Amino acid sequence: MTSFDPESTLQQDDWLRRIARQLVRDPERADDLAQEAWLAGLERGRADDRPWLFGVLRNATRASNRKAARLRARALRAPRPTDAPATDEVVEDLQLRARLAEELARVEEPYRTVILLRYFTGLG
């Protein structure tokens, strides 16, 4: 059984995080990548193997970069929302609809039903 050396582990962690920050320049992302490398090293019993950890870190960085590129490409392909109408246009539209509803209420049956079915439900 290997003895746990906290000082050595802290030095290894400092080294790994420093390398991660050089690879990605984003401190939060660097921490995530370093943690991913640590996890892989601990799971495989290679947490003290610097060249192996560096390879894991490099591969994780590449995978992260590919994922970010796919997300950017997807965002560029996504449909853009149309510009919202101005507030005065919305108010004007609501006023027109209210006036139409009032006028439609005055129309005798069966004409009112025909107009509702044709122009408000799309039948006909």
Side-chain angles (χ1 to χ4, degrees):
M1 180 174 183
T2 316
S3 64
F4 176 71
D5 179 12
E7 186 64 33
S8 173
T9 302
L10 287 174
Q11 288 174 355
Q12 190 83 327
D13 184 57
D14 287 343
W15 170 81
L16 191 60
R17 289 178 190 279
R18 192 171 51 251
I19 295 297
R21 282 191 300 273
Q22 289 174 359
L23 289 173
V24 296
R25 306 274 188 232
D26 175 11
E28 288 82 19
R29 191 167 158 226
D31 283 344
D32 290 343
L33 292 168
Q35 288 175 19
E36 190 174 329
W38 266 120
L39 181 62
L42 292 170
E43 286 175 344
R44 290 168 182 82
R46 299 188 75 169
D48 57 347
D49 185 349
R50 282 189 174 193
W52 188 85
L53 285 173
F54 176 73
V56 170
L57 185 60
R58 186 185 60 229
N59 290 340
T61 302
R62 288 177 182 160
S64 176
N65 289 341
R66 284 191 303 269
K67 181 179 179 181
R70 283 192 307 271
L71 289 174
R72 280 191 302 273
R74 186 178 305 143
L76 290 174
R77 289 191 312 266
R80 301 278 183 238
T82 58
D83 291 333
T87 306
D88 57 340
E89 291 175 13
V90 172
V91 170
E92 187 178 311
D93 185 55
L94 289 172
Q95 289 171 341
L96 178 61
R97 288 174 186 262
R99 185 170 169 218
L100 282 171
E102 290 171 8
E103 294 298 326
L104 189 57
R106 294 187 189 130
V107 174
E108 297 288 326
E109 284 296 343
Y111 305 110
R112 179 179 14 201
T113 301
V114 170
I115 292 171
L116 284 170
L117 290 175
R118 171 62 178 100
Y119 293 102
F120 290 95
T121 63
L123 295 177

